Amino acid sequence: MTDFFEGIDPIRYEGPGSENDLAFRHYNPDEVVMGKPMKDHLRFAVAYWHSFAWEGGDPFGGQTFLRPWHPQDSMETARIKADAAFEMFRILGVPFFCWHDADIRPEGENFAESKARLDEMIDYFGVKMEDTGVGLLWGTANMFSHRRWMSGAATNPDPDVFAYAGATVKACLDATHRLGGQNYVLWGGREGYETLLNTDLKRERQQAGRFLQMVVDYKERIGFQGTILIEPKPQEPSKHQYDYDVATVYGFLRDFDLTDHVKLNIEQGHAILAGHSFEHELALAASLGVLGSIDMNRNDYQSGWDTDQFPNNTPEVALAYYEILKAGGFTTGGTNFDAKLRRQSLDPEDLIAAHVGGMDVCAAGLKAAAAMLEDGKLEALRAERYAGWDSEDAQALLHHATLEQCEECVIERDIRPEPRSGKQERLENLVNRYL
Amino acid sequence: MTDFFEGIDPIRYEGPGSENDLAFRHYNPDEVVMGKPMKDHLRFAVAYWHSFAWEGGDPFGGQTFLRPWHPQDSMETARIKADAAFEMFRILGVPFFCWHDADIRPEGENFAESKARLDEMIDYFGVKMEDTGVGLLWGTANMFSHRRWMSGAATNPDPDVFAYAGATVKACLDATHRLGGQNYVLWGGREGYETLLNTDLKRERQQAGRFLQMVVDYKERIGFQGTILIEPKPQEPSKHQYDYDVATVYGFLRDFDLTDHVKLNIEQGHAILAGHSFEHELALAASLGVLGSIDMNRNDYQSGWDTDQFPNNTPEVALAYYEILKAGGFTTGGTNFDAKLRRQSLDPEDLIAAHVGGMDVCAAGLKAAAAMLEDGKLEALRAERYAGWDSEDAQALLHHATLEQCEECVIERDIRPEPRSGKQERLENLVNRYL
Amino acid sequence: MTDFFEGIDPIRYEGPGSENDLAFRHYNPDEVVMGKPMKDHLRFAVAYWHSFAWEGGDPFGGQTFLRPWHPQDSMETARIKADAAFEMFRILGVPFFCWHDADIRPEGENFAESKARLDEMIDYFGVKMEDTGVGLLWGTANMFSHRRWMSGAATNPDPDVFAYAGATVKACLDATHRLGGQNYVLWGGREGYETLLNTDLKRERQQAGRFLQMVVDYKERIGFQGTILIEPKPQEPSKHQYDYDVATVYGFLRDFDLTDHVKLNIEQGHAILAGHSFEHELALAASLGVLGSIDMNRNDYQSGWDTDQFPNNTPEVALAYYEILKAGGFTTGGTNFDAKLRRQSLDPEDLIAAHVGGMDVCAAGLKAAAAMLEDGKLEALRAERYAGWDSEDAQALLHHATLEQCEECVIERDIRPEPRSGKQERLENLVNRYL
Amino acid sequence: MTDFFEGIDPIRYEGPGSENDLAFRHYNPDEVVMGKPMKDHLRFAVAYWHSFAWEGGDPFGGQTFLRPWHPQDSMETARIKADAAFEMFRILGVPFFCWHDADIRPEGENFAESKARLDEMIDYFGVKMEDTGVGLLWGTANMFSHRRWMSGAATNPDPDVFAYAGATVKACLDATHRLGGQNYVLWGGREGYETLLNTDLKRERQQAGRFLQMVVDYKERIGFQGTILIEPKPQEPSKHQYDYDVATVYGFLRDFDLTDHVKLNIEQGHAILAGHSFEHELALAASLGVLGSIDMNRNDYQSGWDTDQFPNNTPEVALAYYEILKAGGFTTGGTNFDAKLRRQSLDPEDLIAAHVGGMDVCAAGLKAAAAMLEDGKLEALRAERYAGWDSEDAQALLHHATLEQCEECVIERDIRPEPRSGKQERLENLVNRYL
């Protein structure tokens, strides 16, 4: 045990009226919502990288945090970091965490050494997970920070990097499997380009498709029961990433015939950077059958880069969980806080408070979403809007008509369609009633 | 003949040194570029709507233009408008034009009357096209301006509107066919949503897919040899359009098995609104085999709405034509100026000058692109970047390897990939050499 | 009386638990908040233009609304429109409304006729205001819709337009004065440029400054006690507007020595289009002493144009009222809904519901802001952050030190500043406690 | 001498036809343009930080460059870096360079040590500048990277940091003065906020104003003849920076009565991030009398963060120099390339080529701008647009009229202003003629 969080007790639910900074006002893990304990709906996970590996730097400044596990260049500090992390999981009572290989072990001299270090840390994690009951929501490989990945991993112009990427994913997928991970995520920060002038889009897309097929094949070979997830992002660090948004990834999966094997991990911040609302990306993924898991971290609406902030706007979060509940809720997925402190938030208490606030906003959002869904008014109004399609004639029109028949019917019946109100403001008011 | 453009002679090529405001400095229609006359590469088209139907309004102000064909509510003024339009086509020497039904005929009391008026104007156009040799690049239906379309056309919650849309596309496709149109375009300005709260994404996407299938079936039934084109746009007028960008449309076409039957009409302005460069959208479409035609009109980089301006930046335009030439050039497609005058540009001469300037920028861009491609240095550098993949081993790795084999090879060969310069600045300099 | 809102009773406060679509759940006009009835804090106003003059058009489509006062080209329909408007004011129980001249009277053949019509409608309004007790929050001149304003009003290259603008503002300011208006607003939609190529920035800025001086002089001459307000907006309809944002307008007012005579009307949507949060613009204006009034209408975060939607996000609205309350609340200013229905919201009930929802969100936000301010925790934490400046030495450093003294003190005391946490997440959590 | 650039000869002008990658095609230093050698118009400077101190990191990845002066933690490597830098200045033939203190010396244990190291490097630079004839365009202090600055420098809540900032600027200004620097720049990357919740805008603005006054006082006291420049940027690293854009800084300078003592250093990339075109910011600064110097580095139009790329679009650059030439050209200012290589551009040759390309684009832009200005057509058309204001009556209207007189004149003369074309497209065509 470290004493990093000394003096901070496990967070308890105290209800909306609590004035305790470090208590849950909405998140009551065992409270039943739509037939299931809240914790099993939300399936919270802490992101190891932002909370424990990131040192507070940004493009214009270096480290601001001073942590007992710095510098992060030895196995010894890696273990101290792990100790602190599990201490935080215990304080928060989160059921899951997530990692990249690079977060949890120092880079070795070569692949073999890096892998050996990873394996050693996985052992260390295994014991701690056993002890605490904390599970792994997903593991993933950091194939974007080291300079070897500067021109991409699977999409690199150098086949050696492709091979190195394959070996790296194998190691991380093995590790995820060992720890009983619920999912394995692929985020391609460098799978994109800086300039089209040196890029062969077609070739790189082909490499990416082939690579993903290899991952799916391997997963099946080892009997990994979790879900393979792709996480879309439009850009940053690349000028343009191949996994731009939900629709783009969907077309890619269709092309490589992988829609049955791969789902999506959707992040609020990435949705916003791509010009979509979070609920759009969720609704679209659900409608296409590829909704997997979420990264619940907002992007500042006035910043054009990935700000990865903890969620704090309940009305927005409620709309997100509404889409998730409507789609049947998470199976292997969950709510990962891919969120980092602001770099001026130096204190251990900041780290706890940020998660407490985020979890509470999610819990409040979930409850509002559930109420809205259970009440059914919104869905009834939506259904009513499309009710014209319920008739046999309308169904025939939709499924069997030709353009000629459309024309015939318009002329014969002298159809002059009369618009009906879309009632947007009334629906927005209705939503606010549940908040 | 109108006297609207009185005093303006047909535009002639006078070479780069010309100081004549109304002469081409770069566009020399019969000059051969890469084995083909420039005019056959560029295949310019004038957009009837912006140049002749739009009256200068914007969301904060009404009509500014005073034209002899105003008010646009009678067949008589529709003919005057057509006369002026063909007069301009003659002055510019453009080979093509494009229209929506709503641009060329006043709306009737009902569908039948609107269609009759359309047919009458098509006859009128037919004679003029015969006389002038001007062809139709594409026709399309305006299914977004009238209030009946406010909640979408094919994706409307009202089946009557769906039927009306079918009838409308039939009429426009028939008309396009009669005029020997090279393509037929579908742009779904209202095929999207204002709020997810009243929208069933899945159902509407299904409607859109079915509708497109109907269009493709009809096209084949009547023997229309042109290409069916979808034009992506992320938003505006809808908050979110279903045909967001090239990647989104591609996934949609895949889902409905229409990639062999439908291609894309890609607009610079829409690309920018979707967060992409124009050349990205072109390169992506080409790599997916769905590049059809282009709308060559820029969007102001500081404005968040569709500004539809004439192109004026040769370096940007050159990169666009580079992708087009690399993909083999246009077949049925062409360069449509979906561009409008600024609303303060009141004079007939402004309309001519805008097109002259736009055509010249395109011609200069085309020549630069052709020089770049013929010289081959850029492609050679690109090929060199991927040369590592040419070996047999690399091909085996790509096509047959498993993750286990990747790992084995990385460990055995102790692969430590050494990054190589991406040379972006040197490539950018190289491009500038051709401009 | 019209029967436009037939069947809709005056809206009553029924408390948070109400399931009545047309009841207030938060807005309880006479409930006292921080020592003042809620209605006197919020000072709600309806915008005549969006709610009564706008017909549902957008850049891609025409009228969708069908109203008894269409077409808006006669004095008779102008009166019907006024009747319906006051009927709505009564139903909502709003204390104020706002207008442009062009909203309330049909344009005449020339200035004199337009003015006569305006005067006639002002008489008509006067009686209705007397009868209902509804007041005028502000009047303003529409100097952007008619084609005469296409190149600006005060900043026009044509002195005739400048004169026309002067005459127009006189008429509108006179009318505002007659109706006991609390403020007079200038929004310069066309006071900007489309292209720098034809624009003399310096000259146009000079014209704008001189014009504003004329308005201030006239206001004083006639004894108008209201406030002259400028409303910043970065762009749209102009590519670039001169009154870009709060900071820009402030520099302009300083230059023409008008900071004592002119304040700002700040809109949430315009703030967002300028790249600022609403609370930033409010806090900045308050800190500069120029906070006047607000337009409470949100912009869609994913749309790059002015969407003018009713507010519906309470946490955001709470932060806005927090800045207003901290600055002492409104004096002549108020909360104008410069918000329009979505164009698919066709029903009279939509118009009522949109305002009810907006008023309720504002009321909830106000109450949260007041609780936060009264509780004082946030301000205490803010003060504590700057407490180091309270010492005499620190004040001497700030007010009297030279760079030499800074250096001396740093070296002598060997100052090595130790950063302290900015506690952002803890503050965000704190704010959420009041919501 | 290092051998870092071994094999790269000084760059020579070879004319537009040159196919030599490392030759100037447009920049011919002694070629006379508008009466002055090109080099004296452009006054190129290399930015020490991007070209020599930055190691290729970004928010998602670490160092990619391997340089002989890494690691940058000793005076010895600082000297090797300086040797390489001056070698590059010689190869490029640039007349100037720019630095932050942090670029040129390793941070010391405390202020005194850091300052001693700075002074030592300034001596080293002095000799090299003497030897090579390279001058200092500007010096500046890096008050944003070290963790002590995380909450701002002059605007910090901790007075110790304010004092430290004062001492730091003194050291850097002294150093700049010793090296004969032409300007001294203040860029406040952390002079802004992350959240308004912990920020006292008014107090921080006051601190900033007072600090700037101290700098101006000191500059005068020591007889520094250069210009004090503020560099606006809207955000990044801060969520919101106080020196948002030209208009914002202007209002700030007015408030603290510093418009006569301080000018602006305007960056293309920052202009774009603030929602302005570069030429807008330049024209505005010129019209307000505060145009000082420029950072000529573009921002990617599709990226929302500061991409700091070398300029490569001649038409855009030409419009920038047009504003500069129209304003009389630079006095102490110049063209600084605040541009960095892409992080995949690993080779020394990339560094040279990027500058060669950038210099060439600037030279081409300058020549086009000069031709446009000398030809005078654009200015004549602009003047003609405002010609109506030249009459005595119009001048009287502008300078002396009241609103009453406006009304009187509009009514008496029955003014019905007739709009005239703004000719935007014709002007854009005209500009293209010079490119």
Side-chain angles (χ1 to χ4, degrees), chain A residues 110 115 193 196 198-200 204 210 221 240 250 255 276 280 382 385-386 398 401 404 407 422, chain B residues 110 115 193 196 198-200 204 210 221 240 250 255 276 280 382 385-386 398 401 404 407 414 422:
Chain A
N110 63 1
K115 183 174 180 326
Y193 61 80
L196 274 176
N198 69 12
T199 303
D200 183 333
E204 296 203 358
R210 174 66 191 127
R221 210 145 53 232
H240 203 290
Y250 178 73
D255 247 14
H276 308 297
H280 169 84
R382 195 195 313 255
R385 188 161 178 251
Y386 294 92
L398 180 57
E404 294 92 324
E407 185 187 56
Chain B
N110 63 1
K115 184 176 182 319
Y193 61 80
L196 273 176
N198 68 12
T199 303
D200 183 334
E204 297 203 359
R210 173 66 192 126
R221 210 146 51 233
H240 203 289
Y250 179 72
D255 246 15
H276 308 296
H280 169 84
R382 195 195 314 256
R385 189 162 177 250
Y386 295 91
L398 180 57
E404 293 92 323
E407 184 187 56
D414 192 12

Side-chain angles (χ1 to χ4, degrees), chain B residues 75-333:
Chain B
M75 290 300 285
E76 192 194 332
T77 54
R79 280 185 294 265
I80 298 173
K81 180 164 53 171
D83 294 345
F86 276 83
E87 183 64 12
M88 187 171 91
F89 306 157
R90 190 187 60 84
I91 291 171
L92 294 173
V94 288
F96 295 108
F97 74 120
C98 302
W99 50 253
H100 300 88
D101 50 356
D103 310 328
I104 61 178
R105 57 94 189 113
E107 181 84 16
E109 274 301 293
N110 63 1
F111 177 80
E113 190 182 23
S114 293
K115 184 176 182 319
R117 288 174 173 187
L118 178 67
D119 288 341
E120 195 181 325
M121 287 307 301
I122 294 301
D123 290 340
Y124 197 72
F125 276 14
V127 175
K128 290 189 160 284
M129 289 168 69
E130 190 73 39
D131 287 353
T132 56
V134 172
L136 179 64
L137 188 63
W138 41 269
T140 186
N142 176 328
M143 301 197 297
F144 46 91
S145 292
H146 192 279
R147 67 192 290 274
R148 83 173 63 87
W149 311 117
M150 74 174 201
S151 308
T155 64
N156 203 288
D158 180 355
D160 278 1
V161 178
F162 182 95
Y164 205 104
T168 302
V169 170
K170 178 180 177 299
C172 291
L173 190 45
D174 286 343
T176 300
H177 190 33
R178 269 175 60 202
L179 296 179
Q182 306 271 312
N183 308 273
Y184 182 83
V185 166
L186 293 139
W187 173 67
R190 307 276 177 204
E191 311 292 26
Y193 61 80
E194 279 308 298
T195 176
L196 273 176
L197 297 180
N198 68 12
T199 303
D200 183 334
L201 270 189
K202 190 169 184 174
R203 177 196 286 268
E204 297 203 359
R205 192 167 182 274
Q206 209 59 36
Q207 290 179 211
R210 173 66 192 126
F211 191 86
L212 185 55
Q213 184 63 59
M214 285 162 66
V215 175
V216 167
D217 290 348
Y218 183 70
K219 165 211 142 141
E220 307 218 320
R221 210 146 51 233
I222 62 173
F224 176 66
Q225 300 295 315
T227 310
I228 302 292
L229 298 170
I230 285 191
E231 180 171 329
K233 190 178 180 187
Q235 54 170 197
E236 200 203 11
S238 298
K239 172 190 163 48
H240 203 289
Q241 284 181 220
Y242 296 132
D243 300 336
Y244 199 82
D245 57 8
V246 168
T248 303
V249 175
Y250 179 72
F252 171 78
L253 294 179
R254 286 280 307 170
D255 246 15
F256 293 91
D257 211 16
L258 289 167
T259 43
D260 289 347
H261 302 278
V262 179
K263 295 200 181 318
L264 272 66
N265 184 43
I266 300 173
E267 175 176 318
Q268 185 185 20
H270 296 178
I272 289 167
L273 289 171
H276 308 296
S277 67
F278 191 27
E279 57 268 28
H280 169 84
E281 289 290 80
L282 294 171
L284 180 61
S287 80
L288 297 170
V290 292
L291 176 55
S293 195
I294 65 170
D295 273 7
M296 181 51 98
N297 45 291
R298 69 186 163 101
N299 210 72
D300 185 287
Y301 283 116
Q302 281 85 44
S303 305
W305 62 92
D306 198 359
T307 66
D308 278 340
Q309 293 175 261
F310 284 87
N312 72 349
N313 189 295
T314 302
E316 290 186 357
V317 167
L319 291 178
Y321 282 112
Y322 188 74
E323 297 298 337
I324 291 164
L325 290 178
K326 216 171 34 150
F330 294 125
T331 52
T332 62

Side-chain angles (χ1 to χ4, degrees), chain A residues 5 11 16 27 35 52 68 82 100-101 133-134 197 236 242 245 253 280 298 319 353 367 385 418 434:
Chain A
F5 295 108
I11 309 302
Y27 182 57
F52 298 100
H100 300 87
D101 50 356
V134 173
L197 298 179
E236 199 202 13
Y242 297 132
D245 57 8
L253 294 178
H280 169 84
R298 71 187 161 99
L319 291 179
K367 284 190 285 189
R385 188 161 178 251
E418 191 49 42
Y434 303 95

Side-chain angles (χ1 to χ4, degrees), chain A residues 244-247 268 270-281, chain B residues 239-240 244-245 248, chain C residues 302:
Chain A
Y244 198 82
D245 57 8
V246 168
Q268 186 185 18
H270 297 177
I272 288 167
L273 289 171
H276 308 297
S277 67
F278 190 27
E279 57 268 28
H280 169 84
E281 288 290 80
Chain B
K239 172 190 163 48
H240 203 289
Y244 199 82
D245 57 8
T248 303
Chain C
Q302 280 85 45

Side-chain angles (χ1 to χ4, degrees), chain A residues 307-318:
Chain A
T307 66
D308 277 340
Q309 292 175 262
F310 283 88
N312 72 348
N313 189 293
T314 302
E316 290 186 356
V317 166

